Amino acid sequence: MRIAMIGTGYVGLVSGACFSDFGHDVICVDKDARKIDALKQGVMPIFEPGLDHLVERNVRDGRLAFTTDLKEGVEGAEAVFIAVGTPSRRGDGHADLSYVFGAAEEIARALSGPAVVVTKSTVPVGTGDEVERIIRETAPDAQAWVVSNPEFLREGAAIEDFKRPDRIVVGTDSEAAAELMREIYRPLYLNKAPLLFTGRRTAELIKYAANAFLATKITFINEIADLCEIVGADVQDVARGIGLDNRIGAKFLHAGPGYGGSCFPKDTLALLKTAEDHQAPLRIVESVVKVNDARKRAMGRKVIQALGGDARGRTIALLGLTFKPNTDDMRDAPSLSIVQALQDAGASVRGYDPEGIEQARPMMPGVDFFDSPYRAADGADAVVLVTEWDVLRALDLKRLASTMKQPIFVDLRSVYPPEEIEEAGLRWFGIGRPPRG
Ligand SMILES: NC(=O)c1ccc[n+]([C@@H]2O[C@H](COP(=O)([O-])OP(=O)(O)OC[C@H]3O[C@@H](n4cnc5c(N)ncnc54)[C@H](O)[C@@H]3O)[C@@H](O)[C@H]2O)c1
């Protein structure tokens, strides 16, 4: 099948490459000429494990190509996916749909035959109706079915998630469109990935409800972590104790510095906006958003407390800057709020990240970046473990301690047992347990 993927970012590039790996002919389109030029040279514009090999193989076999020319991509395609960004609109938190609507209009002008137009971007309920209207008004003679197919992949494990999804959600009322979608996902369907057909609005809402639920689970355990610190309990044991209950499940119960990334923050806000517009308030999600925002900043205060309440003139090294490991994505990363809080308190901040420095640099003015955790920690008053990259899970703590000015280690991901930190000659500070003697 001929597929056009409009938008070649984290979702579009991974989806396009995986579809081509299933045997489909895919053209990935992006307005960003630098991205497309890089891809044509075999250079990945993002860091995602395994992506370079997947792209290289499928380009070599002639099933995957890149262009900035949307018309060329859409010409002759039986399925056109929209995978453009839907960031938060400045001011009100609503999803900014201008890229989706812009793409819909361009697609309508470029359609040369019958096709399904599939919204893979995360979009509020009713967006499919609007995309359909735009296509009908722009190209009244075009034969297009507008389908919702939200994406659930996680950055850092995107290829595995795309190829072995828990489910594939397809929202359409058209049997012809459903048949085409079955054909596209046939290789996964044969692997028994559940293909869930729903109405288009339902599919759109499933994506937001899933992300809001996961954000709630994270925020729940983060608040329990705060309580543990005060009452003398251990949040990791609490998480294990509740997670072993099948009705609860163990995932997303790891207390940390608050959720970030390109999805949860903006999607929870957009869902609240939808709920408000329809006068059906979602009070639990409202609290989640507030609690999470406050938590990110509170992590900066925790570091300042570890320094005895005054960070002015101190040097603090943050290890791990991306919102989670195995991605270079810095969007809404907790590290951004922590840096701000520390700089506001008069500290000098240093940063280390295995893949995220290039993206972090313009977002963190005044931060000094280092290419090794040890160099970042050399002479620092405190080290803060913010993102649990594998290379930060087996640090030589004694080496770290030997070059630091003050031996303060703040572990915001509970990677190291406090005893191990202390044996290395460092003082432990962290979350979800009472402070140490
Ligand atoms: N990143 C994730 O982990 C993830 C997971 C699931 C769903 N989503 C959703 O998928 C969508 C895309 O997210 P992303 O992280 O891949 O975004 P991104 O910002 O990485 O990529 C979007 C790309 O679309 C391009 N673009 C915009 N308008 C275009 C047009 N008219 N024609 C061609 N290209 C155009 C941009 O240049 C950009 O490269 C969002 O709605 C997001 O919420 C993201």
Side-chain angles (χ1 to χ4, degrees):
M1 184 168 316
R2 259 277 277 120
I3 294 175
M5 186 64 64
I6 314 302
T8 308
Y10 287 86
V11 165
L13 180 55
V14 170
S15 307
C18 288
F19 279 144
S20 66
D21 214 41
F22 297 166
H24 301 306
D25 286 320
V26 181
I27 299 193
C28 287
V29 181
D30 206 288
K31 275 191 171 335
D32 185 339
R34 272 193 317 178
K35 228 177 230 189
I36 295 300
D37 283 347
L39 283 161
K40 283 183 171 169
Q41 312 283 326
V43 177
M44 296 302 106
I46 55 168
F47 173 75
E48 180 61 45
L51 188 61
D52 45 0
H53 293 302
L54 188 72
V55 168
E56 188 196 325
R57 185 168 70 236
N58 286 286
V59 168
R60 193 187 53 221
D61 294 350
R63 288 188 301 266
L64 180 61
F66 302 99
T67 182
T68 51
D69 182 352
L70 185 137
K71 198 165 169 41
E72 177 197 336
V74 169
E75 194 115 53
E78 292 147 273
V80 182
F81 282 77
I82 300 177
V84 299
T86 49
S88 270
R89 197 163 65 189
R90 256 177 216 286
D92 68 359
H94 199 286
D96 177 353
L97 295 173
S98 56
Y99 302 101
V100 172
F101 295 154
E105 209 179 308
E106 287 182 70
I107 292 166
R109 278 199 224 99
L111 283 172
S112 58
V116 285
V117 176
V118 190
T119 312
K120 201 163 238 336
S121 300
T122 302
V123 293
V125 170
T127 303
D129 303 352
E130 190 59 15
V131 168
E132 193 168 277
R133 189 191 62 74
I134 291 170
I135 294 176
R136 207 178 302 124
E137 280 185 8
T138 313
D141 298 331
Q143 215 187 340
W145 298 272
V146 176
V147 172
S148 165
N149 172 220
E151 183 50 58
F152 299 96
L153 63 77
R154 293 163 304 166
E155 288 174 19
I159 295 168
E160 176 69 12
D161 282 354
F162 196 91
K163 291 191 163 185
R164 274 179 247 287
D166 291 338
R167 77 304 205 185
I168 301 150
V169 174
V170 176
T172 178
D173 294 329
S174 152
E175 197 29 60
E179 196 43 52
L180 222 114
M181 294 301 286
R182 256 186 224 108
E183 197 52 37
I184 292 172
Y185 280 108
R186 224 171 106 76
L188 294 185
Y189 191 50
L190 294 176
N191 284 346
K192 305 248 182 310
L195 196 46
L196 177 66
F197 285 96
T198 69
R200 195 164 61 198
R201 287 178 161 243
T202 304
E204 289 168 339
L205 190 54
I206 284 172
K207 173 67 191 174
Y208 281 102
N211 276 359
F213 190 84
L214 294 171
T216 302
K217 213 172 165 189
I218 294 172
T219 306
F220 174 81
I221 201 66
N222 283 343
E223 285 205 309
I224 295 289
D226 289 345
L227 184 60
C228 286
E229 289 171 25
I230 297 164
V231 301
D234 181 332
V235 75
Q236 283 183 296
D237 290 342
V238 173
R240 195 166 148 72
I242 63 175
L244 284 168
D245 184 330
N246 285 333
R247 293 168 302 175
I248 296 173
K251 291 184 179 165
F252 280 73
L253 284 182
H254 197 77
Y259 62 77
S262 64
C263 292
F264 291 175
K266 79 171 175 66
D267 291 349
T268 43
L269 281 184
L271 179 61
L272 287 182
K273 197 69 198 157
T274 301
E276 193 186 310
D277 289 349
H278 292 83
Q279 286 163 21
L282 295 174
R283 292 188 195 90
I284 293 176
V285 185
E286 279 170 21
S287 302
V288 165
V289 169
K290 278 197 199 116
V291 170
N292 192 66
D293 279 348
R295 183 171 188 83
K296 291 198 224 174
R297 182 101 187 161
M299 292 299 116
R301 285 200 298 279
K302 194 176 260 300
V303 177
I304 296 166
Q305 271 164 18
L307 284 160
D310 186 7
R312 190 156 298 282
R314 306 293 179 84
T315 300
I316 300 162
L318 301 193
L319 305 186
L321 303 172
T322 51
F323 83 96
K324 66 172 178 181
N326 295 324
T327 180
D328 57 352
D329 202 337
M330 282 295 300
R331 288 178 279 187
D332 275 315
S335 61
L336 294 166
S337 310
I338 298 172
V339 164
Q340 193 61 63
L342 296 177
Q343 287 180 333
D344 289 351
S348 303
V349 182
R350 297 174 174 180
Y352 162 77
D353 192 277
E355 295 291 341
I357 289 180
E358 202 181 313
Q359 302 227 19
R361 203 181 289 278
M363 300 168 94
M364 293 182 162
V367 171
D368 291 322
F369 294 94
F370 290 80
D371 60 2
S372 128
Y374 302 102
R375 271 194 278 279
D378 192 357
D381 292 286
V383 157
V384 187
L385 180 44
V386 185
T387 307
E388 70 282 28
W389 284 87
D390 277 348
V391 290
L392 300 175
R393 285 179 176 276
L395 286 169
D396 182 342
L397 297 169
K398 286 197 176 125
R399 178 174 166 200
L400 214 60
S402 68
T403 63
M404 288 175 67
K405 194 163 162 199
Q406 289 193 75
I408 295 175
F409 191 96
V410 186
D411 185 355
L412 297 181
R413 296 288 181 175
S414 307
V415 167
Y416 296 95
E419 303 75 31
E420 203 178 318
I421 301 281
E422 286 163 3
E423 269 166 34
L426 292 161
R427 285 187 64 205
W428 177 90
F429 295 85
I431 56 178
R433 290 171 182 226
R436 308 275 290 180

